[in-house]
Amino acid sequence: MSETVCCTLCDNHCPLSELACLKGRRFYERDVQPYCRECENHCLLTALSCERGRAFYGGAAPEQGSDIPRTGSLVMRFEMCWHQFRRVRGGLDGQIRVLRFLHNHGAATQREIQEALGVKSAAISEHISKLEAQGYITRTSSERDRRARVIRFTPEGERRFLALLAEEEKKDLFSSLSAEEQSELKRLLKKLSADWRNRESAED
């Protein structure tokens, strides 16, 4: 079954097939870059009209006394990669993570999945509800705790996950990187993830 992918640029969250604003339409058009978020002009990154936007997205070192973050270019590229990654996966990244967890660890409660993936309860509930509606998982009461619900793969869910893995393997999303670059990327992402998790724990 197809999944409805919605625009993330504003609170309207229009389906990509029914975008209501020009900004959304231009953002999701093929080969059109995202918009600058530094001011209300919302210039395309290929046609930035202000010095602040050019410095932020061009990676230029800010002048003394400027409030433009030095990491702005890196943040922008990370955001762009994330949006592009979600698009190339068909907007199913959250559901794929749930399916991957069940494939690797077997049946689990919703709380166990939520804690393992490090996402909010509302997001996990939404992913699980959609997967259940598609017939990919089942929810049953736990024998140990009747308040808890155990999530399990259905045979169709297992087939769907293996098909998604095959699709990703065929796309070979990291083919532009050498084996050494892929290894280095894994190391850097692991380092970032550990740091961000530590920051999150410190705030709790």
Side-chain angles (χ1 to χ4, degrees), residues 185-199:
L185 178 60
K186 289 178 186 177
R187 186 188 71 79
L188 293 173
L189 290 175
K190 184 177 180 180
K191 183 177 181 179
L192 276 175
S193 179
D195 176 55
W196 293 345
R197 280 183 180 274
N198 288 337
R199 296 185 190 205

Side-chain angles (χ1 to χ4, degrees), residues 135-179:
Y136 297 154
I137 63 169
T138 60
R139 284 190 278 192
T140 57
S141 297
S142 169
E143 295 181 357
R144 294 178 299 175
D145 183 356
R146 289 294 176 181
R147 295 171 299 177
R149 306 279 280 175
V150 178
I151 315 300
R152 292 183 174 86
F153 256 136
T154 64
E156 179 60 26
E158 184 74 35
R159 285 192 293 270
R160 174 57 173 160
F161 177 69
L162 293 177
L164 289 171
L165 288 186
E167 290 175 14
E168 288 194 345
E169 186 69 22
K170 185 176 181 181
K171 290 176 181 176
D172 199 3
L173 299 178
F174 301 98
S175 59
S176 62
L177 303 178
S178 67

